[in-house]
Structure formats: C-alpha cells, structure tokens
Amino acid sequence: MTNNRRNFCIIAHIDHGKSTLADRILELSGLVGVNGSEQVLDGMELERERGITIKSSPIRIPYRAANGEEYILNLIDTPGHVDFNYEVSRSLRACEGAILLVDATQGVQAQTVANAYRAIDAGLEIIPVINKIDMPAAMIDDCCLQFDDILGIAVDAALTISAKKGTGVPELLEDIITKVPPPQGNQDAPLKSLIFDSQYDPYRGVIMHVRVFSGSIKAGDRIMLKSNGKTYEVEEVGYFGLRLMPCEILAAGEVGYVSAMVRTVADINVGDTIVSPDLPQTEAISGFRRSQPVVFCGLYPTDSNDYVKLRVALEKLQLNDSSIVFEKESSAALGNGFRVGFLGMLHMDITLERLRREYEQELIATLPSVVYKVTTTKGQMLHIDNPSKFPTPQEIEHIEEPMVRAHLMTPTEFVGPCMELAKSKRGIMIAMEHPDQRRTLFTFDFPLAEIIVDFHDRLKSTTKGYASMDYEMAAYHAADLVKVDILINGDPVDALSYVCVRQGAPARGRALIAKLRELIPRQQFRVPLQAAIGGNIVAREDIPAIRKDVLAKCYGGDVTRKRKLLEKQKEGKKRMKMVGSVEVPQEAFFSLLKVDQ
Amino acid sequence: MTTGLYVHLPFCASKCSYCDFYSVPGRLDLVDAYVRALLKEVRQYAGLPFTTLYLGGGTPSLIGPDGLRKLMKGLRRTANVSALQEATLEVNPESASAEFFQAALDNGFGRVSIGVQTMVDTELRSVGRAHTALQGAEAVMRASALGFSSISVDLIAGLPGQNQQSLRRSLDGLLSLHIDHLSLYCLSLEPGTPLADQPPANLPSENKQADMFQMARDMLAAAGFEHYEISNFARSGHQCVHNLNYWRGGDYAGLGASASSHLQGRRYKNLSDLQAYMRRPAAAIESSEELGAGTKAAEEAMLRLRLIQEGLDVGDLAARFGHDRIQCLSDRLSSLARENALIFDGTSYRLHPSRVLTSNPILAAVLEEA
C-alpha cells in the first residue's frame, strides 16, 4: 500500500517560486480550483506579504499518474528562512524526496546550497528543477552547471518549468512518482514516529504533525514522547487535506496528524519521537534537539497599564509558535515587560509585527542581544541574554559569545566589498570557492551578535541585492567584549545597554549618542546624553532645552483649530515613554540598529 | 457680557510668504459683492446686541473708504451695533490713507491695528510685505494725528535676517511714536506657505527667536506695557476687549469667508472659499461642533491661561460648570502647578512666567480628556 505514496518537499531560496509551484501542483491534482486562492499553503497574512513561509503546512494530494495508477503525494512545505533551519531539517526527515527549485534568473543561492546539503545529508532523492523559464533573463544552462559544480548533483537534463504558467509541472509530478522512492517501514514493528511540526487548536490542544516510520497510530492508542516520557491517549488521527481529515489509522510511511488533547504546548517539541509506552526503549529518531532561542530582546508595553494585555498576547502567540520563549523582566527605565527569545532576527521581526497587528499592542522593543557565556572571577558560568545583567568588569573572568558558520554567495564583482563587510563584522574567512566564473562562495565564521543587527541589509546594499547568505549556529568563542551603558539625564537606562567588542566601543558609543540626540525631542530642560564603559564616560552630547513651543496667533477666534493643534501634539506624546522625567520615543530603544559603524 | 462681531475681509494686494490665513490676492473687483454677502449673513443675528466689532483680514483697508462706508451703513441697518464698547479696524501701512482713516473714524472705529511687522525694510521684503518701514511709521503717525483713541501695531520676531539688534531698532522706532498696544508674534512656519516650503538660510534659530522675544518683552515692560496675553502687550486701559472675549471663552459671531463663530456653546467655521461663501453667505458653514460641558470647561481653561496676568479663576469656573464637571480638570491644574508649569495664588492659575514661550505642552495637558 505504501508503494503508492510519495513524501516530498520543495526546497528553494526566498522568492524562487516555491509557494507558486505548490499552488500549481494542488490545481493539477484537482484539490483546488484553477486560479483559486493564491498560495494556499501560506496561511498567514504576513507570509503572503513577505513572500516567505513561516509556518509550514503539509498537504496530501491525490494524483492519478500517467501509468493509470492512483497515488497519494504528501507535500511537506518547509519554512524558507535561515532562522528556521532546524525546522527545515526535521521536515526533510519526514520525506524521501526533495524538489530543489532554482530561479532561472538568479541561479543557485546560498540558501539553496545550505538546504540542498541538508537534503542530501538526510538521504533524500533530489529532483533539480529550474523555475521561471518564461522570464527573458532565464539562464537555464548556467543553472544546470551550478547544480553540478556547486551541489555535486549531476544533471543530464534538469526539469525546466514555469510555476507561474504551469509549464512543465505535469512532467514534474511524473518525475516525483518515478524518482522519489516510496516510504519504507514495517507496520508491524514497534511504533516510531517523528513530530516534524505542530499547531494549536483552541478546542483540541496541540495537534502534532507526524511522519510514521514504523508501526501505526490510531485513536485510542496510548503514545509516549521520547524526550520527556509524557504519555497521552490518542483522540484522533488523520491526514492533511485542505482541512484536517480524520482517518482510522496512520501506518508506517504515512504523513498525518495526531491529536491527543495535549494542553501544554511546551511538551510537544519538533523533532521528538513518538513511541509506544509499552516499548519505551524504542530508539529515538536521531537529530532531536529542543529549539533554542538565540536572539533575545526586551518587550515593554508603551503604556505600563497594558502589561497584562501583553502577557496574554504573548501566551496566545506562543500556542502557535512554541519556539518563542518569554519570561517576566523588569527594567528600571521601562517598567514591567518581558524578555523574549527568538530563533533569529526574522523570527523576531515577524513576531513583533504579529503582536502589533494581531493584538493591537503598542510595543517598545529593546535592542536584540545574543546569549553570552560569562565566567566570573568566582568561577561561576552565567548565561546572559540581557546586557543590563552583565556583571561589572571587575567580576568578569572571561566572556564567550555564540558564533555562526555562514555561507555567503556573491557575484564575483562584489568579492572585495563582501570581504570588507565581513571584516567589519569580525568575520573569519574559512573558505572561498569559485563554483563558476561569475560567482564566489564564501564560508565565514561570524559572531552571531554581529549578524543579527544590520548585517543582512548591509550585505544586500553592498552587493546591489545579489548576495545571499545562510548560516547555522556554531560553537561559542572567547571574545574581548565590554558592556556600554547609556545615561539619559545622568541616569543609566538599562534598556539601552549593549555589549560590543572593546576595540571601537567608544566610537560606537559616540555614534549611538549622536543618533539618540536626533531621536529624542527637545525637552523643557537640557538633557545630557552619555555613553559609559565601566563607569568611564566615553561620549557625551546635550539635547538643548526647548525654547519655543507656543501658538501665537488667535486670529478671528478660530479656537477649534488651536485645540486641534494642541491635541495633535498630545497624540505625539503618547508614542513617547517617560524615562525619568525625559520623554523618549519608542524607536530610540532600537536606535543602535540604525547606527552606521 | 461681551458679544463680539468679527468681520473677515479676505482681500489683499499680495500674499505674504508666511501667511496661512484665508485671503485672495487681487480680486478687488469682488469687494462690492462680498460686502453685500456679509450684510446678508449678518441678518441672522438681527436681535443680538454686539458689544465689540473687529474688522480683520486679509487687508481690510483695501476695501477703501467707500467700501467701508457701505459695509458700516449696512451693518448699522441690519445688526445691533448701537452700543459698541470697542470697534477695531486692521489696516496695512500701504493702504492706510488719511481718507480711509477718516472714514473709519466717521463710522465709529476708535481703535486701529496697523500691520507694521518690522521697521527694517530688508526684513519686510524678505517675507513679501507690500510696504516700507517708513510707510509703517507714517501710518502710525497719521492714525495718531487723526485722533484714534487706541493704536495697536503688529510686530514679528524671527523674520529672515532679523536679530536682536534689528528688533531693538524696530521697537525703539515704534515706542518713539504714539502706540498703546502691541502684538508680538514669533514667526511660525505654517505648512503650505512659501516660507515653510523654502525656508531661507538666514531664518533665526528657535533659540534666537526666543531670545528676541524675551528682549522685546523686557523693552515693552520698561516702556510701561503690560504683557497681558501670550502675544499681546498694552498700556493700561488699552487691552483689546474684542480679543479678551475670545480668551475668556465668550460668545462672538464671525462674518465672511473662513470666519469663526462661537455662540451658545457651539463653534462654527465658514468655508474658506470666497465664491462658495458669496453664493450662500448664510449657509457656507465648513464645520460646526457642539461643545459638551467638559470640553467647554477645558477649552475655556486653555484659553484663559493665555491671559498671563488674569489667569484662570477656578472658583468662577466651578460656579459656572459645576464642581463635579471640572474635578478632573482641577486635578490636572493642580498637578501642573506642582510641576511649576502653572502658578496658583489660591484663587487663580497662571502660566509660570518662564513657560510663556513653551506653553503648548501645558495647554495640551489642560485639554486632556476627562
């Protein structure tokens, strides 16, 4: 029976047409009408706007092949961004094959490379596909060469398609049938099933997205999670239609969902293995790790009365995105808020945007920070995700910071600027390859802290948008870092503290102070701004007191206009946060991001 | 009780580069028709006894002696202006002829407000004023010679190229003439005006502007002028009754395009469109709003605080609006007094003298919703 199943995914760089291809496949299968809703699998408004998939969603597609046989295809959509690489790797594990989709006008990009390697490592059958062949700038031959040279995938004749127009998609479906092997697995063996994703349903709790490798699951079964030993009774199993479709049993080789009335989102971890509580020794599927937030920022309601509202919003958000972690945090400057951890900068951006949009929260986000390992002179090792919690310089023995290994692909003409950028971001070059005459593939090690701030934007502007990058977390590395404190009106503002490399810290402090001087409006009194390292002031600027803020004329008694002008001014104040007696605009807390270094 | 009548005459010779009031350069051909429209609009106030009259603009003096006579004759016939305490006429130096002044005096205007702005020709030119400093001085002297009982001049602090010395010269010049009242405005860049669109490089900074204002305030105090409103200075007995009525939250009717009215708890504003106004002068209302008691009280507080000597008598406010209605307002006032933004003497609140030029945040706080 599993001979007629194919489990596959599509891996591609951002904007190379993954979601459009998925739409065409769904149309061809008859699952959705032609020109129905665009990008069926990208459920969130934000995903459509940004053209990326944040929340992957699988779908089962019935398909009648040219040979007349009925097949079931499970398309497991994968998140398309570097922050979700772990999630991608788990989704890949649930498949036997991967469509490697490349935009013919852009060729193989860094993310294509990274994901292709992951798919190859996971033992998947790779089907290279060249998309957007209808575009005038399509370079089909170049793409074929790149498959071979960069990825080591020998391509006799890569499939060429236009996902937009549907050209070549029927042939691709046939290739999936013939090239991707059917899932293996013994239905009678002990249960072993991979959780590759989950979603939250307010009535049914956490719904696990699973791939069964051996044995089977049906309603009424008891299951156990390998990572934490928790057991549950299965309430329902089913597969992914356009909605969740209940079925009797999920057997080895199948992809579907399991609902077991799990209320605690944190209990279900992507990558975990479901086994039978009767056979707890069943080996786990390798590669599991708890998703680890690597970027943290403080989130504070602009109006301190909204603290509870913000907590409720974060709790709700966490139900659908268990990779977000948060805990209460108090800032002397900003009051009560939360320290929130994310998988990366994009994840952070999107989460903040969702909070603002879906929960209508006015938020102040502080500068993002990585997690530092600080060894104190007393021999204690502290994990510090908030610069304001740094011990004093005297108490610090040494500091380690998280590193990433990054693959950076750029047209060769931008090699110089890329190397300069990397150098300014403390990058260490590991390798430099030339997959073809026009392009260079760098491997760099970077401190994560350097690339979460503005690296991506700078890379894009340095290379006119042509370079692409992918990275994964690497080990911690010792570094000579200092905490810089910012003082407004003589008081240190904890929410503005940041950590940076000792060399150049004063210059950076000056730049930040200059930026803050632009952002903070003049007050009724002179406001000194200072940057300090371990008590030494390294930069200072004063915001002069406001001298004139007055409505002079009252011609013809137009009092309404006068009132409106004053009310408008008042509105502006609502976007300010009182720090001591100084009104500070929200964006000031993020201003280090905008400082050119 | 004061009930004011304001008449807006939107005509001017040319538009000054800082001006964002409604006016139409040229088009003097429309004066007759416009005056007829004003007289139609005023009919609705037939029973209302006005105590002050103010002819503003634009440049009211552009309507000439005949226009003025026609307008006043019509007003006397249609509206109740028989018991005016004060009648003010705005004039610009370039059209302040003796003949026009005489027509004004003959028609009951005892007060003139002359748009001198500065006594430095380069500064006048920098904002497109249509007269010279000499014409300004002559207008003041002429008004004084003809016997107006109260002469006011407008002055601007912060004109392009202006500095403390040049403002001092302007003030010295004006104080040597006979004036009773002076309005001193800080130049503000109003969005949409040529000055705001292309601010000249020699525009004095905010700091310099504030310094100029303070210097002028000191000079006027030394010359015996009381600083009675944020922008207004007067010798004893020469405060502008018509304008005081605005700042005390009183009633007034405004006639003409873009004019505002405040009558029986309702504010109106006429359309800023000469043609539309002339087509239906009594129904050319652009906006109107009924003020709730809370809003009315807060608005009155905001206005009265502009009167920097008289201030806001909270007991009087409570007596008229009710203690409960003004409780929140009263709390806000006392908290502003704790912050030293206001001064409370046990009866009235007044702006702290150091906050006159930075009064907006205080007045905005006073307006806060209950």
Side-chain angles (χ1 to χ4, degrees), chain A residues 14-174:
Chain A
I14 296 170
D15 276 343
H16 279 201
K18 189 175 66 168
S19 296
T20 311
L21 175 59
D23 284 349
R24 287 302 91 75
I25 292 175
L26 296 188
E27 283 169 16
L28 268 179
S29 71
L31 205 55
V32 298
V34 175
N35 295 328
S37 62
E38 285 289 291
Q39 308 203 342
V40 175
L41 303 186
D42 285 354
M44 273 190 269
E45 190 190 338
L46 259 179
E47 292 183 332
R48 290 194 190 137
E49 254 178 48
R50 295 202 173 196
I52 49 167
T53 308
I54 300 158
K55 191 86 186 139
S56 57
S57 108
I59 192 155
R60 174 153 119 162
I61 306 157
Y63 176 66
R64 180 193 286 270
N67 61 16
E69 298 241 6
E70 297 286 346
Y71 287 86
I72 285 172
L73 311 179
N74 283 307
L75 167 57
I76 296 168
D77 204 12
T78 53
H81 188 272
V82 53
D83 288 354
F84 305 95
N85 279 342
Y86 172 66
E87 285 66 19
V88 172
S89 78
R90 294 301 83 193
S91 293
L92 293 177
R93 278 300 291 267
C95 305
E96 276 76 30
I99 297 172
L100 179 60
L101 191 68
V102 169
D103 182 333
T105 65
Q106 297 190 10
V108 170
Q109 296 290 311
Q111 220 180 340
T112 329
V113 179
N115 283 336
Y117 284 146
R118 286 186 191 106
I120 292 166
D121 289 349
L124 267 52
E125 178 65 33
I126 311 282
I127 304 177
V129 176
I130 299 168
N131 189 20
K132 306 197 188 176
I133 53 161
D134 55 317
M135 304 283 280
M139 311 169 293
I140 297 167
D141 291 344
D142 288 1
C143 289
C144 286
L145 279 175
Q146 290 162 10
F147 280 132
D148 196 355
D149 290 349
I150 306 173
L151 303 174
I153 302 170
V155 184
D156 305 331
L159 263 178
T160 53
I161 69 164
S162 163
K164 197 168 130 206
K165 296 189 169 166
T167 322
V169 181
E171 291 79 359
L172 172 58
L173 282 172
E174 284 300 313

Side-chain angles (χ1 to χ4, degrees), chain A residues 547-549 551 557 561 563, chain B residues 207 252 289 299 306 357:
Chain A
R547 294 286 308 279
K548 193 197 92 173
D549 183 12
L551 294 177
R561 178 174 166 209
R563 202 177 69 221
Chain B
N207 270 341
Y252 50 89
E289 67 174 329
E299 193 184 275
R306 295 184 66 89
L357 276 191

